[in-house]
Amino acid sequence: MSRSSLSKQPKKVTDISVPSEQLAHVDPQDMFPLPPPYDKVKEQPGFKALSAETRKTVAASLDDTVCVGLPQPKSKEEEERLITAFLSGLRKLFTRENNWTFLEPLVLSMEHCARCQTCVDDCPVYEASGKNEIYRPTYRSEILRRLYFKYIKPGNSLFNKFQNGDIELNWTLLSRLLELSYRCTLCRRCAQSCPIGVDNGLITREIRKLFSSEMGITEKNLHEKGTIQQLRVGSSTGMNSLAVKDNVEFIDEDMTERTGIPIESKWDVEGAEVLLLHNAGEFIAWPDNPGCFALLLDAAGITWTMSSEIAGYDGVNYGLFYDDVQLARIAAKHFEIAKKLKVKKIVMGECGHESKALGVISDRVFQGIPRETAMSLIADIVFSGKIKFDPSRNNFPVTLHDPCNLVRAMGVVEPQRRVLRYLAPKFREMHPHGVRNYCCGGGSGFAIMSQYNFMDWRLQISGRKKFKQILDAFADEDPSAETKKYVCAPCSNCKGQIRDLFDYYGAKQKSGLHYGGLVELVVNAMVDVKEGFLNFEEM
Amino acid sequence: MTVFHLLIYLSVLIFLTAVAARIVRIVRMPVHLRWELYPVPHEKSRSAYGGSILEEVNWWTKEREVDRIGEAKAMVSEIFFLKGIWEHNRGLWFGSWSLHFGLYLLIGELGLLALSGFLGAVGMQPEILALVTPIVTILAWIGCALGLIGSLIMYLKRLTDPKLKPFNNASHYFNLLLLGAINVTGLIWVAADPEYAGKLVDFFAGLFSLNALPVLTTIGYTHVGIVLFFFIYFPFTHMTHAFVKYFTYHDIRWNDSPNVQGGKMGIEIDKLEHQPVTWAAPHVRADGKKTWVDIVGDTGEEKKS
């Protein structure tokens, strides 16, 4: 079947249960146009079609892509077994024992939505897709809601149908709902606009949890290569403690050479003021970031350490995106390590979801060690008067990407801006920004997912709004690559997505777009650091 | 006391019991993990841009300033002016505001009638009646008119708006028809019966004193009948968002309360963590007996030999 002959979108909510080759399809022409020179559809990277083999072997009937890749059941019995397991998970999702962690927000969101659709236009995925029905924040919620009223909520079934509609639970629905729960970045922008307080982002997360905690069905980068690997070898990157120490030694040497300031990172120092917990992706993909932290903390006279214990050098907690048990296991390790080292506080590096998982979500469960975000500490150091800065070293256009987990989920909005307003003379905001920001499109773990053709989806659809925002922020500058432009993204996950966006669209070559963290800009402006630390040619 | 008395008492009893049951169910739900969403309006001086105390270095050493007035302002603008819909769904705002504001006026009318009826039942009727009559009439006129306009607009929107249509259930149309019927019968009654307010005060006095109820016009009985049905029906629908919204905002969206050591929340969480887990996925390693504490402690970490 050719792409153009595919059904564009479902007409009814119940269409999700009706078997077809594909429930929805997005043409590049459906997506809103990007500003020049990215406005010509034909010149854009194409959307790779799934192979016939993929379509045959894994559940791929939702849309143009596959994220989880659940194997097709081999028999009717296997289908039935999966449906039974799903129903069992659905029941547990609404029990105090198994889901006390989010029971109240979930039940209230299930039972009180007015279906006013006020939230839908606030979703960047829905907007970028040309408003395809399946990407409405309310679509997957409505399916879970109908299942809830049909199978879980006590009461007269006719009355429940009258109130909430009906839906047929079958393999088609189950496999599509699983994939659909991985078409939302959990940015919760929709929840912010709901007048009733319904949270479609949470509902999406709870669907992922049901599949993971009851059926063991997860996205492998989050689970096998993510939390499982982190708890087994120490990091979701696969690095054990020897490897990370080796990397950091190299980073120290490189930073010493480039800045002219001797740097020696600290490991397992008992009684330090700060346990610095980076997203371990930084050590591999953006080594300047941990290097700059080491330099800045030393310069500010703060005693600090990193931990070489399992999970102690990786602040990543992908459990946040799909599974409470894994979330709690990793958070528990982080607290245990901090207690063992007798540090005064944990400082969470430039990583949004780490900050939210450790700073807010775990707050009611694990106690005894205070946590703060790197944004607050960096701002405090910059304005402490201990370090001399020359802001003219950052005299290039800079804009700030707000990681959803830092702003919308934690209210950490101003510290990073205060720093940029002081140290980046050509700083300008994106619009909208702060708590009304748009997700980078890599949220909820998408930034580490590129299997099948999922990368095309996350760069063309979920990241489209952010890419447009970035281009718009620099609209008053020379559009050519001659003028180097810096997107400050103080979050590893967001940086991963922005890196991929820029590579995908050739934005570095076409528009001079570069990206990095906050601490790099701070170090670049330090008078004691050799000039030219930030080198756009090498970024 | 007549059968009509009994019907009214029964409707009100069902309404109050079902609403109370829903509230008790929510209040008894276990404490959940923090899941607030900024801006949180009680964050003094920071709520304007959505900031929180977490912006402060060593925030746990600083005094948490809670701005209850800011919170009240946010509630007033949301409840009375539907700020969320104004900002995010402007096309739906007028119909929704009109419907909701009309209902608020009718609830005000009902409260006033109940109060004057009660005072009438204890012998203060003539003095009260003179004061209440014009207010009740005005509330009925404006409340029913706004409610009718709102329900009509919302019904048409539900019927025609492609954004709403695929997600409508039968109840969405029925609810709007029901609210429209309350408003249209109320409007006809107040327009056609010059003794509308007086009869209603007597009606409520009769309900409180168990004395005979005044004879109403046909449209009056129709209106009362529909309102009584609404009383029975409402607590079992999503329209309960009218009061559940308090919990979605205060218990979840704006709930940034930390778990202070030795506090009530800590005790409750400790109990919750000691419940058995029955999730069946292999990585959870639950057996129906192991508690959250056991399971979280079992990380599957490679042991050093």
Side-chain angles (χ1 to χ4, degrees):
Chain A
M1 190 184 278
S2 72
R3 298 285 95 188
S4 56
S5 65
L6 285 172
S7 146
K8 280 235 168 179
Q9 48 190 322
K11 290 185 175 61
K12 293 180 298 204
V13 173
T14 48
D15 287 351
I16 194 161
S17 311
V18 180
S20 63
E21 186 187 327
Q22 200 172 309
L23 184 64
H25 164 62
V26 177
D27 275 326
Q29 287 83 358
D30 299 333
M31 304 173 203
F32 63 73
L34 292 167
Y38 311 94
D39 52 338
K40 294 175 188 67
V41 172
K42 280 183 184 165
E43 291 174 17
Q44 295 310 309
F47 203 118
K48 289 183 283 299
L50 292 170
S51 68
E53 181 63 16
T54 300
R55 290 196 174 273
K56 202 174 135 193
T57 53
V58 302
S61 72
L62 177 71
D63 53 4
D64 305 291
T65 189
V66 170
C67 180
V68 180
L70 178 64
Q72 295 279 11
K74 292 186 176 58
S75 62
K76 198 75 193 156
E77 289 71 36
E78 196 183 339
E79 268 186 37
E80 292 302 324
R81 213 168 36 247
L82 285 164
I83 292 168
T84 306
F86 176 85
L87 270 176
S88 164
L90 188 65
R91 282 186 202 100
K92 290 176 190 173
L93 199 62
F94 292 94
T95 60
R96 198 182 175 91
E97 296 75 26
N98 290 297
N99 202 22
W100 63 270
T101 45
F102 289 101
L103 188 64
E104 184 183 1
L106 179 62
V107 169
L108 298 195
S109 286
M110 281 289 107
E111 296 185 2
H112 301 97
C113 175
R115 281 78 154 189
C116 67
Q117 312 300 326
T118 296
C119 57
V120 299
D121 290 331
D122 284 312
C123 173
V125 174
Y126 176 62
E127 188 187 346
S129 71
K131 305 199 170 182
N132 196 297
E133 289 291 324
I134 66 160
Y135 300 134
R136 279 192 198 220
T138 47
Y139 188 70
R140 60 185 79 78
S141 304
E142 184 63 18
I143 292 153
L144 191 74
R145 185 172 291 114
R146 290 186 182 200
L147 292 169
Y148 167 71
F149 279 103
K150 185 168 183 174
Y151 294 103
I152 309 298
K153 178 84 175 156
N156 182 285
S157 66
L158 271 179
F159 185 76
N160 276 344
K161 270 184 204 170
F162 171 70
Q163 284 295 316
N164 299 288
D166 196 11
I167 199 128
E168 185 193 348
L169 173 59
N170 57 17
W171 159 251
T172 306
L173 178 145
L174 189 149
S175 60
R176 285 173 173 167
L177 185 61
L178 168 68
E179 280 293 329
L180 199 49
S181 69
Y182 288 88
R183 298 293 186 278
C184 160
T185 64
L186 310 184
C187 78
R188 296 177 74 208
R189 202 167 186 270
C190 58
Q192 213 175 29
S193 58
C194 177
I196 291 168
V198 168
D199 191 336
N200 292 303
L202 173 80
I203 293 172
T204 304
R205 181 186 181 274
E206 296 300 284
I207 297 172
R208 291 185 184 186
K209 181 159 81 188
L210 185 168
F211 279 105
S212 173
S213 302
E214 182 68 8
M215 303 166 78
I217 297 171
T218 56
E219 197 286 326
K220 67 177 179 193
N221 292 290
L222 292 183
H223 190 62
E224 285 93 341
K225 292 183 177 176
T227 58
I228 295 281
Q229 181 165 238
Q230 188 177 4
L231 288 167
R232 192 165 46 81
V233 301
S235 165
S236 57
T237 59
M239 280 189 298
N240 61 21
S241 63
L242 286 176
V244 76
K245 281 184 165 175
D246 199 41
N247 268 21
V248 169
E249 202 180 315
F250 169 78
I251 292 168
D252 287 351
E253 282 169 20
D254 178 60
M255 284 293 293
T256 303
E257 192 185 315
R258 286 165 57 205
T259 62
I261 296 174
I263 294 162
E264 192 184 348
S265 289
K266 285 87 183 162
W267 291 103
D268 305 314
V269 181
E270 272 197 28
E273 271 176 79
V274 166
L275 168 63
L276 188 56
L277 192 45
H278 290 293
N279 175 318
E282 300 284 350
F283 298 121
I284 298 170
W286 305 285
D288 281 4
N289 186 278
C292 287
F293 268 101
L295 189 152
L296 191 67
L297 265 61
D298 280 349
I302 293 169
T303 60
W304 65 280
T305 186
M306 294 190 287
S307 162
S308 63
E309 285 219 25
I310 294 266
Y313 51 92
D314 193 356
V316 160
N317 192 339
Y318 292 143
L320 178 69
F321 301 138
Y322 77 101
D323 190 301
D324 289 346
V325 172
Q326 296 298 86
L327 166 73
R329 281 173 175 160
I330 291 169
K333 287 295 293 178
H334 289 152
F335 275 85
E336 184 190 308
I337 289 162
K339 280 184 181 169
K340 203 166 143 189
L341 285 172
K342 300 186 185 75
V343 294
K344 288 196 175 61
K345 63 183 174 189
I346 300 174
V347 170
M348 301 158 297
E350 292 191 10
C351 178
H353 91 272
E354 171 197 341
S355 301
K356 176 173 155 183
L358 203 55
V360 177
I361 306 293
S362 319
D363 183 58
R364 290 182 178 157
V365 185
F366 303 106
Q367 295 175 315
I369 301 284
R371 291 90 55 211
E372 75 188 13
T373 68
M375 301 300 101
S376 314
L377 183 64
I378 291 172
D380 190 62
I381 293 171
V382 166
F383 294 101
S384 67
K386 290 177 185 166
I387 300 169
K388 214 171 163 195
F389 293 103
D390 174 8
S392 70
R393 290 186 178 187
N394 287 332
N395 197 25
F396 42 82
V398 174
T399 192
L400 173 68
H401 162 66
D402 283 302
C404 302
N405 288 314
L406 273 181
V407 291
R408 218 175 344 264
M410 297 185 80
V412 178
V413 181
E414 263 300 299
Q416 55 273 38
R417 291 186 154 70
R418 283 176 57 219
V419 171
L420 289 175
R421 285 194 290 261
Y422 172 40
L423 293 182
K426 292 189 177 175
F427 168 62
R428 78 280 316 277
E429 292 280 10
M430 291 186 200
H431 295 285
H433 56 264
V435 290
R436 287 299 292 160
N437 74 320
Y438 281 107
C439 173
C440 62
S444 81
F446 282 2
I448 54 161
M449 300 175 194
S450 299
Q451 61 277 28
Y452 306 101
N453 61 354
F454 191 69
M455 196 176 202
D456 288 337
W457 188 89
R458 76 171 159 90
L459 298 177
Q460 290 208 28
I461 297 183
S462 69
R464 193 174 195 84
K465 191 74 184 175
K466 179 52 63 179
F467 188 50
K468 182 174 185 305
Q469 259 200 311
I470 292 170
L471 295 168
D472 289 346
F474 294 121
D476 61 337
E477 295 290 340
D478 160 30
S480 78
E482 291 301 306
T483 303
K484 310 297 180 201
K485 301 148 188 112
Y486 188 95
V487 178
C488 173
C491 166
S492 310
N493 192 75
C494 303
K495 276 191 295 199
Q497 169 76 356
I498 290 170
R499 172 195 58 202
D500 293 348
L501 276 170
F502 288 1
D503 287 349
Y504 193 75
Y505 290 101
K508 186 176 164 186
Q509 296 77 16
K510 289 178 185 166
S511 308
L513 288 176
H514 297 76
Y515 72 96
L518 180 69
V519 73
E520 292 92 321
L521 285 174
V522 173
V523 167
N524 192 51
M526 281 174 66
V527 170
D528 290 343
V529 167
K530 276 199 267 184
E531 274 203 64
F533 168 71
L534 266 188
N535 184 343
F536 284 104
E537 301 311 317
E538 289 173 11
M539 283 171 80
Chain B
M1 191 163 62
T2 63
V3 175
F4 196 28
H5 275 93
L6 284 175
L7 267 177
I8 295 170
Y9 297 146
L10 188 64
S11 310
V12 174
L13 186 69
I14 291 172
F15 173 83
L16 292 175
T17 310
V19 167
R22 191 176 280 257
I23 291 173
V24 168
R25 177 170 162 248
I26 295 170
V27 170
R28 291 178 66 179
M29 278 189 187
V31 62
H32 53 84
L33 300 185
R34 275 179 70 171
W35 197 247
E36 70 258 33
L37 199 56
Y38 289 86
V40 170
H42 59 236
E43 277 284 0
K44 204 170 190 174
S45 74
R46 293 192 181 91
S47 68
Y49 64 85
S52 77
I53 193 172
L54 300 175
E55 291 185 329
E56 296 272 340
V57 75
N58 297 331
W59 60 266
W60 53 96
T61 62
K62 314 277 165 71
E63 194 177 338
R64 194 174 265 252
E65 290 181 309
V66 177
D67 180 10
R68 293 292 171 211
I69 294 171
E71 197 172 282
K73 277 185 193 164
M75 286 169 71
V76 166
S77 61
E78 183 53 43
I79 293 169
F80 292 106
F81 302 106
L82 307 187
K83 188 171 170 252
I85 300 185
W86 174 259
E87 286 178 352
H88 304 285
N89 198 1
R90 194 71 58 91
L92 209 63
W93 183 81
F94 181 72
S96 185
W97 174 81
S98 184
L99 177 68
H100 284 89
F101 204 79
L103 276 171
Y104 299 154
L105 295 182
L106 294 186
I107 292 165
E109 183 198 359
L110 197 63
L112 196 61
L113 282 168
L115 179 69
S116 54
F118 174 75
L119 294 174
V122 295
M124 287 176 67
Q125 193 171 358
E127 296 81 5
I128 297 298
L129 187 61
L131 290 172
V132 163
T133 311
I135 304 173
V136 164
T137 310
I138 290 168
L139 287 175
W141 267 109
I142 304 176
C144 288
L146 279 177
L148 183 60
I149 292 167
S151 39
L152 275 174
I153 293 174
M154 294 301 286
Y155 191 86
L156 286 173
K157 286 265 182 197
R158 288 266 177 212
L159 210 59
T160 58
D161 189 337
K163 201 160 94 175
L164 295 172
K165 225 173 157 183
F167 289 77
N168 292 337
N169 296 314
S171 65
H172 290 111
Y173 299 108
F174 178 79
N175 297 349
L176 288 167
L177 286 175
L178 183 60
L179 290 166
I182 289 173
N183 289 307
V184 81
T185 53
L187 208 55
I188 296 171
W189 188 11
V190 70
D193 188 348
E195 292 177 74
Y196 169 83
K199 274 186 192 163
L200 270 173
V201 173
D202 290 345
F203 192 86
F204 275 84
L207 286 175
F208 280 109
S209 61
L210 304 181
N211 288 333
L213 300 172
V215 175
L216 307 178
T217 58
T218 309
I219 195 73
Y221 281 120
T222 311
H223 180 72
V224 172
I226 298 171
V227 169
L228 292 181
F229 174 77
F230 183 75
F231 270 30
I232 299 169
Y233 173 73
F234 167 84
F236 305 98
T237 70
H238 73 79
M239 287 189 283
T240 45
H241 67 245
F243 61 89
V244 172
K245 202 166 162 171
Y246 174 85
F247 298 99
T248 55
Y249 277 68
H250 288 80
D251 268 11
I252 302 162
R253 198 155 156 170
W254 298 347
N255 186 346
D256 55 356
S257 307
N259 178 4
V260 182
Q261 272 185 327
K264 208 174 140 192
M265 189 191 282
I267 297 167
E268 189 188 342
I269 286 177
D270 188 59
K271 280 185 194 158
L272 293 166
E273 287 173 335
H274 283 87
Q275 297 179 112
V277 180
T278 61
W279 287 120
H283 72 270
V284 178
R285 295 186 283 280
D287 59 5
K289 288 178 192 153
K290 284 185 193 166
T291 66
W292 276 91
V293 174
D294 302 327
I295 278 170
V296 170
D298 175 13
T299 61
E301 187 180 321
E302 272 180 359
K303 303 289 176 213
K304 285 172 191 159
S305 52

